[in-house]
Structures are given as C-alpha cells and as structure tokens.
Amino acid sequence: MFKGIVVEKDEAGYRATLKDIDNAQLPEGNVTVRVSHSTLNYKDALAITGRGPVVRKFPLVPGIDLVGTVEETSHPDYRVGDSVLLNGWGVGEGHWGGLAQKARLNGEWLVPLPERFTAQQAMAIGTAGYTAMLCVLALERHDVTPDKGEIVVTGAGGGVGSVAVALLSKLGYAVVGVTGRPQERDYIKSLGATDVLERSTFCVPGKPLGRERWAGAVDVVGSYTLANVCATTKYRGVVTACGLAAGMDFPATVAPFILRGVTLVGIDSVMCPRTERLMAWQRLAEDLDITKLGLIANEIGLTDVIPTATKLLDGQVRGRVIVNVDA
C-alpha cells in the first residue's frame, strides 16, 4: 500500500481525496518509480478541483511531474536505483501521475535526473521550468539575442514566468515582467527583471499594432494579453506562447505578422520529443541560477495538496509548489 491523491467521478460526484492505494491498482508500464517529490501545477489544480476537463479517465492520480528512484524495471535504459524525473506525456491526465508515493510508467517518458540537481530542485523547476527553457530555446533558434532588446514575460509571478525571468536574466537579456499582483513586484525583480508592468494594460482589447517594444516574449496567458504582446513586438521579433491562463481565444489581427514579420511560436511541453527534453534539462543544469530556486519554490506535503489547488487557481500562490509525497 502507498498514499496518493485520487480523483474520482461517479454517482456521488467529482472529488479528490488522499487515500491508501494498493500496489495492484498501479497502471501498466515497464518502470515502477518510488516517488520522492512531485509538484502542483495549474493543470493539476484543474484536475483536483474539477474546474477544467483535464482528467480523461477515472479513477486517476493527478500530477504531471515527478522525481524518484527506479524500484522495478524491464526497460533497457534504466536500472533499479536510478534517479529519474518525468514531465508531461499525458501523465496526470490519462495515465496515473506523480501525486502519490509510487508510479508505474513507460520508460520512454523518463529523463535521467541531472547530477547538478537534487530531487527538490528538479521539482522546483518541474514542467513549468522545463517549459520556460523550451521558450528560451525557441527564442535562441530564431536569433533573438540579448542585444536585440527587451523580452517581456507575462504571468511573471507564476511558475513558468518565474523560471523564465530567472533564466533570461542569467543569460543577459533585459527582462520585463507582467503580473496582475502588484505585491509581487519586488519578488519578480529579485529574479532578475529590470521592470515590472501591471497586467491591466495588457488584458483589455488593444490596437492591431502598437508601439514597437519587445524583441521577444514568453506568454503564459493567451487571449488579449497575447494579442497585445504580438501587437507591440518589434519588427522580426518572436513571441513564444505556452499557456492559456486567460483563455484559449486569440483576439488579434494578422497585422503584426504580415507588416512587422513577427513570429508566433507555439510551445508544447506535454508531447515534446525526448531529444528536446534532454536538451532542455541539460541547458537548465547549465544556465539556471539554482540559488534563485529558493525564491521561486515552496514545499508542501500530500495533505496540503487539495486546499492549495484551490488557492493556486484563485491566484494566491507565487512561483512553484513542490510536493513532498512522504510529508
């Protein structure tokens, strides 16, 4: 038996509970991991609260991230005792995830834990930080270098935004954060932002084209915010889009793309090929100032996950949430 968060839906309704789980209930997979830490992300909070259609089968253990030690394996790349981590691949949506003390998975979904990181540090980064690194890599591929100008990061007080600010500033970019929480201004600046702007100027309908300012962008918000970022991006600038916190709509015009040659790059972290994942984690190990992780993340136990999920969706959580599954 092991402990985990289980999401169920039946005649009694939709609910998430912390309960004891029998080993026999673990899904199919060729690697069993003794999980040490997971995380609580926006998608996990939607799954736990039922506010979004994230869970595709019931019952299900949520949790799109995990780190731990291989306990059993028939996969050729892994041995018992190996330290591994996982982000995405539909885990926590259609396959049992990381918010439990054990997980059984497809070994192709796993990545070796980089030697530079402890388990806690890897989860302080998690899917959010790995997604932020994918955005940085996309900016680099499109030749957005620090000398080109400012990079705007929306949702800068959240998980993806926090790591993106820390990464970009460490790499020499001038980073401007955008947040709807003015009280987080000092926090975002401590991560390396040169300035912090209020979200209200971005989240309302704007002009098809505004004053050119951004050489690049990392957007986690979508909707009007993404449209306004594109409208104020410089000629040949690049916008990476990786989130939809404000909605899936994109109320924009083609003007930024055909008059200024702006490039909009979609970032998918869930099904991203393993080679790109390995590159992202390698670069995180090289380029992320790990001293910033203490500012970005806080740790909770499994017993705190369900109430914290509601706070996260209500915008009351800063940065990253690490879950110690044994606490």
Side-chain angles (χ1 to χ4, degrees):
M1 301 290 286
F2 60 95
K3 292 188 180 298
I5 305 290
V6 180
V7 177
E8 298 171 282
K9 183 180 181 181
D10 52 29
E11 295 80 6
Y14 189 106
R15 62 196 179 279
T17 52
L18 174 60
K19 58 172 59 179
D20 291 324
I21 305 170
D22 193 293
N23 285 349
Q25 293 178 263
L26 284 167
E28 293 184 0
N30 52 15
V31 180
T32 301
V33 177
R34 176 59 172 88
V35 179
S36 69
H37 296 80
S38 184
T39 64
L40 184 65
N41 298 279
Y42 188 82
K43 187 179 288 185
D44 302 321
L46 290 174
I48 289 166
T49 61
R51 292 193 196 177
V54 171
V55 179
R56 299 196 297 270
K57 61 187 295 187
F58 299 91
L60 184 110
V61 173
I64 64 174
D65 290 327
L66 65 86
V67 64
T69 305
V70 174
E71 191 173 76
E72 299 176 17
T73 177
S74 60
H75 191 284
D77 291 348
Y78 298 102
R79 295 177 298 177
V80 172
D82 285 350
S83 295
V84 295
L85 62 84
L86 176 139
N87 313 112
W89 290 118
V91 170
E93 302 175 65
H95 187 97
W96 282 26
L99 286 170
Q101 293 171 328
K102 283 191 181 184
R104 184 169 292 145
L105 307 150
N106 181 339
E108 296 300 314
W109 300 341
L110 299 172
V111 171
L113 175 66
E115 291 184 3
R116 188 180 182 217
F117 298 132
T118 65
Q120 292 94 329
Q121 288 168 339
M123 290 296 96
I125 298 166
T127 286
Y130 143 70
T131 302
M133 190 72 243
L134 291 176
C135 292
V136 172
L137 291 170
L139 292 173
E140 291 179 345
R141 280 197 306 273
H142 287 83
D143 198 32
V144 180
T145 49
D147 61 294
K148 297 290 178 64
E150 294 175 306
I151 308 295
V152 64
V153 176
T154 65
V160 176
S162 293
V163 181
V165 171
L167 276 170
L168 289 162
S169 62
K170 175 75 160 31
L171 291 168
Y173 293 88
V175 186
V176 176
V178 176
T179 182
R181 294 177 280 176
Q183 68 273 20
E184 303 294 2
R185 181 181 179 85
D186 290 343
Y187 160 70
I188 296 167
K189 283 203 160 188
S190 74
L191 298 177
T194 58
D195 195 8
V196 180
L197 303 179
E198 169 58 45
R199 182 179 64 194
S200 60
T201 61
F202 288 80
C203 63
V204 293
K207 297 178 181 179
L209 286 175
R211 181 175 65 87
E212 296 180 52
R213 179 167 182 180
W214 318 116
V218 175
D219 177 65
V220 304
V221 179
S223 192
Y224 287 112
T225 296
L226 177 57
N228 286 320
V229 166
C230 290
T232 50
T233 294
K234 289 182 176 182
Y235 182 74
R236 309 261 318 165
V238 178
V239 177
T240 60
C242 62
L244 41 73
M248 293 182 65
D249 59 320
F250 183 42
T253 73
V254 297
F257 312 112
I258 63 174
L259 297 180
R260 290 184 180 163
V262 170
T263 298
L264 178 60
V265 183
I267 303 297
D268 165 50
S269 62
V270 177
M271 304 304 291
C272 181
R274 191 168 187 271
T275 53
E276 293 183 30
R277 292 169 183 266
L278 291 168
M279 181 185 299
W281 277 100
Q282 178 185 335
R283 285 290 305 277
L284 283 161
E286 294 172 0
D287 297 327
L288 181 63
D289 182 353
I290 59 175
T291 64
K292 297 285 179 68
L293 293 177
L295 299 173
I296 291 172
N298 65 91
E299 185 173 305
I300 64 174
L302 274 179
T303 55
D304 302 312
V305 165
I306 295 172
T308 305
T310 299
K311 293 179 182 178
L312 192 156
L313 294 182
D314 290 342
Q316 300 172 13
V317 175
R318 168 203 285 180
R320 300 279 297 132
V321 180
I322 306 169
V323 180
N324 182 339
V325 300
D326 292 321

